[in-house]
């Protein structure tokens, strides 16, 4: 099952993180060794950034490229299940059991966490 990439959401995640850090597009561009116009085009989904550009932006924002590429908070249950299924496709039954055990342990601890 292929998941279509949403460049508008990518741009929105970059913009949100940039603003959280109090950076202008020009400041982010300088930190990422890119032009202000390129940052603007990416944030507004007028251009599709290369992998190298994504890494430069992620580094400048002090986050992982994965955080830029995928917004796990915005995922439907079907998408979530598809991603988990894809990640576990090559796992052995024993590895899947281990993953399931970890997930059960994590979800059991959620009520103990402070939620915002």
């Amino acid at each position: 099952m292929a998941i279509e990439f949403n460049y508008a959401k990518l741009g929105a995640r970059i913009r949100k993180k940039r603003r959280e850090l109090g950076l202008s597009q020009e400041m982010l561009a300088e930190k990422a060794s890119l032009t202000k116009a390129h940052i603007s085009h990416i944030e507004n989904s007028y251009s599709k950034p290369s992998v190298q550009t994504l890494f430069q932006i992620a580094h400048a924002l002090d986050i992982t490229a994965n955080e830029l590429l995928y917004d796990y908070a915005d995922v439907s249950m079907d998408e979530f299940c598809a991603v988990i299924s894809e990640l576990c496709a090559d796992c052995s039954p024993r590895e899947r059991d281990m993953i399931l055990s970890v997930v059960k342990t994590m979800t059991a601890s959620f009520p103990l966490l402070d939620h915002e």
Side-chain angles (χ1 to χ4, degrees):
M1 172 185 203
I3 298 174
E4 188 172 321
F5 190 75
N6 188 324
Y7 286 95
K9 285 187 178 184
L10 169 68
R13 284 191 289 276
I14 292 170
R15 181 183 305 108
K16 180 181 178 193
K17 185 63 178 177
R18 174 180 60 77
R19 288 179 175 169
E20 284 174 6
L21 295 174
L23 298 173
S24 66
Q25 287 181 339
E26 188 171 350
M27 293 163 75
L28 175 57
E30 185 175 321
K31 287 182 73 162
S33 300
L34 301 167
T35 66
K36 178 184 179 279
H38 197 42
I39 295 294
S40 177
H41 288 161
I42 293 168
E43 285 188 358
N44 292 293
S45 66
Y46 297 138
S47 67
K48 297 176 182 178
S50 68
V51 172
Q52 179 62 40
T53 297
L54 285 174
F55 277 103
Q56 287 171 238
I57 292 171
H59 181 72
L61 294 173
D62 197 30
I63 59 176
T64 66
N66 196 42
E67 289 174 90
L68 285 181
L69 291 171
Y70 203 74
D71 185 3
Y72 296 100
D74 232 8
V75 174
S76 72
M77 185 53 81
D78 288 341
E79 289 175 308
F80 177 77
C81 290
V83 169
I84 296 297
S85 179
E86 187 176 318
L87 290 172
C88 297
D90 294 329
C91 293
S92 69
R94 184 170 184 268
E95 291 167 334
R96 287 193 302 268
D97 285 344
M98 290 172 60
I99 292 167
L100 185 57
S101 177
V102 169
V103 170
K104 285 179 180 179
T105 301
M106 290 175 62
T107 56
S109 70
F110 290 161
L112 306 174
L113 301 174
D114 291 332
H115 295 284
E116 295 179 10

